[in-house]
Amino acid sequence: MAHEVPPLPYDYAALEPFIDTQTMHLHHDGHHAAYVKNLNTALEKHPDLQSRPAIDLLRNINSIPEDIRTAVRNNGGGHVNHTMFWEIMKSKGGGEPHGHIADALKSAFGSFDTLKQKFNEAGAKHFGSGWVWVVSKGKQLEIITTANQDSPYMHGYYPVFGNDVWEHAYYLKYQNRRPEYLQAWWNVINWEAVTKRLEEASRMNRAA
Ligand code: MN
């Protein structure tokens, strides 16, 4: 069973004016689709791996056969990162988080404003292509960045949420103003979806 691009859970224009329609088309139908196609092509060389979930391949990246390891890291990472990304955004999102996620962020970073500031700073300072994340390992949340399409799963982290700082994610609308994009992105975050991911992270920590 080949990997597939999940359909966007909303319209391409849903995240306007913060993320423009054209960027959403190129990003989802172009970039994400290419990662999936390249992942499937790589796995044709090792059919025994074709039925494994992409997250599972990333968690065990060092046991992936060497001839396809880099392809799985880049394209499996690209697939899993973007699948999360579409899921944790929505139209008319943003605002202050409430409940479980608000408590967890406050306990880790002091306040929601501090978290936003540190997350935006880490994303702005990250050199070149990559992602900025809030991840969990054990009970504690922390901010990390990864290069290219490297996934937090490769490092034993659970990605609670993350923002894409590749130029393809913002250049049409924001050009070289990455900090402006990072700031605007908080208007589309889907806190309900992030809360579900945090709960999933807690379940996994209890199981570990
Ligand atoms: Mn991207």
Side-chain angles (χ1 to χ4, degrees), residues 25-89:
H25 274 287
L26 292 166
H27 203 173
H28 179 271
D29 305 353
H31 293 277
H32 189 169
Y35 296 126
V36 170
K37 183 171 180 282
N38 294 335
L39 174 63
N40 287 329
T41 302
L43 293 176
E44 281 168 13
K45 292 179 197 142
H46 293 275
D48 53 310
L49 297 178
Q50 283 172 332
S51 62
R52 299 244 313 257
I55 290 172
D56 186 48
L57 299 175
L58 296 170
R59 281 203 181 107
N60 299 288
I61 192 70
N62 291 325
S63 68
I64 300 301
E66 222 175 321
D67 63 325
I68 63 163
R69 194 178 300 156
T70 300
V72 169
R73 175 178 175 176
N74 291 338
N75 297 292
H79 177 35
V80 167
N81 292 341
H82 287 88
T83 299
M84 174 226 61
F85 191 53
W86 314 130
E87 191 186 286
I88 58 143
M89 299 189 289

Side-chain angles (χ1 to χ4, degrees), residues 112-123 143 183 186:
F112 176 53
D113 282 343
T114 308
L115 168 265
K116 267 207 305 200
Q117 188 196 325
K118 287 186 173 164
F119 183 96
N120 288 353
E121 200 177 285
I143 294 170
Q183 191 72 38
W186 294 98

Side-chain angles (χ1 to χ4, degrees), residues 18 29 67 111 127 132 143 181 194:
F18 307 106
D29 305 353
D67 63 325
S111 72
F127 185 76
V132 53
I143 294 170
Y181 159 72
V194 170

